[in-house]
Amino acid sequence: MVEISILMGVYNQTNHKAIEQAVDSILNQTFSNFEFLIYDDGSCEKEMLFLQEVAKKDSRICLLRGKENKGLAYGLNQCLKQAKGRYIARMDADDISAKERLQRQKQFLDVNTKYAFVGTSANLFDEKGVWGVRIMPKHPTKRDFLKYSPYIHPSVMFRKSALEEVGGYQVSKDTLRCEDYELFMRLYCMGQYGCNIKQTLFSYRENRDWYDKRTIKQRVAEMNIRYQG
């Protein structure tokens, strides 16, 4: 019986080295009883063929494909429908998980049954290497959501039952690129609380000037999600 289902959405990711690093970081985990669901969200033929080759790396990889691009929330929901594990771990196509990430998060949720999900702190890196660290609050409260999401989405492991209870990710233009922020607030509203492991069990790819390059549309969407939450 599969214990953990890892969900990853990909759309026209042209940095093949980054994808392989992300996939290998999951395949090399100290905890091995998992399935790896990768959703190709309507990528062009070249990138589709590359993902098909990546999927041949390991029998635990299951490649799903959508005919057209519908966004990350939609793709993750398709993976969630296929997931067999009692725990759901997120992963992005350009990040890196520490070898013990899945094992540590599973152990945490096994013991701390009052929590519906658990994230981690993360190293921040780009093509030049690690340039910073993001230490997340161990026990986020409602007030922590006022400025930003107190969880790094691709670092999180959920109880599948919690995601099913809230209906998975919300697919909407209003939550574009903010689907994680909306999900975490909805979980909290329904009494499904999370925690963060302070240790950096994840490496999050983020350019040093990323914040200043966010579009006005993205900032307005985030502001609206925050207001609704």
Side-chain angles (χ1 to χ4, degrees):
M1 183 69 178
V2 173
E3 289 282 328
I4 301 171
S5 297
I6 298 102
L7 314 187
M8 186 171 83
V10 186
Y11 174 61
N12 282 343
Q13 168 61 283
T14 59
N15 188 337
H16 293 178
K17 180 181 178 182
I19 293 180
E20 292 195 293
Q21 287 178 330
V23 170
D24 288 345
S25 75
I26 293 296
L27 298 180
N28 294 326
Q29 289 288 303
T30 55
F31 184 86
S32 60
N33 185 17
F34 62 78
E35 62 176 353
F36 193 179
L37 304 176
I38 300 176
Y39 187 81
D40 176 6
D41 193 20
S43 297
C44 65
E45 184 176 4
K46 177 183 177 182
E47 304 311 327
M48 173 190 72
L49 293 174
F50 175 73
L51 289 175
Q52 289 176 351
E53 290 301 310
V54 169
K56 295 177 182 178
K57 281 175 170 277
D58 196 290
S59 61
R60 293 170 294 182
I61 297 177
C62 175
L63 180 62
L64 307 174
R65 175 169 170 79
K67 293 182 179 180
E68 59 184 69
N69 178 245
K70 292 189 176 182
L72 180 60
Y74 179 87
L76 294 179
N77 281 342
Q78 299 311 300
C79 290
L80 186 58
K81 291 177 182 178
Q82 302 290 329
K84 300 173 183 175
R86 64 191 181 105
Y87 294 134
I88 303 293
R90 275 285 289 113
M91 184 64 191
D92 274 350
D94 56 357
D95 297 327
I96 298 173
S97 289
K99 286 186 176 182
E100 67 274 21
R101 176 200 161 188
L102 295 183
Q103 184 174 6
R104 288 287 310 280
Q105 289 183 304
K106 178 184 178 299
Q107 289 173 342
F108 179 91
L109 291 175
D110 284 345
V111 174
N112 298 280
T113 56
K114 67 179 181 179
Y115 291 109
F117 57 96
V118 60
T120 83
S121 294
N123 291 312
L124 304 177
F125 77 106
D126 56 20
E127 298 304 320
K128 297 179 181 178
V130 175
W131 60 269
V133 63
R134 184 172 295 167
I135 303 297
M136 308 306 291
K138 186 174 181 180
H139 300 291
T141 65
K142 289 184 290 185
R143 184 172 294 275
D144 289 306
F145 284 93
L146 292 175
K147 292 184 178 180
Y148 53 80
S149 172
Y151 299 96
I152 299 172
H153 185 207
S155 81
V156 172
M157 180 182 289
F158 303 89
R159 297 187 194 278
K160 184 182 181 184
S161 58
L163 286 179
E164 291 177 332
E165 182 177 335
V166 300
Y169 291 86
Q170 181 177 320
V171 180
S172 168
K173 291 182 180 179
D174 294 334
T175 60
L176 188 63
R177 299 187 67 86
C178 300
E179 56 279 318
D180 57 328
Y181 198 10
E182 189 279 333
L183 173 66
F184 292 133
M185 285 192 286
R186 186 152 39 94
L187 282 162
Y188 263 65
C189 286
M190 298 185 71
Q192 301 281 10
Y193 302 129
C195 185
N196 281 307
I197 296 174
K198 301 288 281 188
Q199 196 175 0
T200 53
L201 299 174
F202 196 75
S203 292
Y204 187 68
R205 189 183 298 269
E206 184 169 89
N207 291 329
R208 300 162 204 235
D209 59 349
W210 175 84
Y211 186 86
D212 292 332
K213 290 186 176 181
R214 289 190 303 167
T215 65
I216 294 296
K217 184 178 180 180
Q218 290 169 3
R219 295 189 188 197
V220 170
E222 181 181 295
M223 180 180 66
N224 286 334
I225 291 297
R226 183 180 297 116
Y227 177 77
Q228 291 171 23

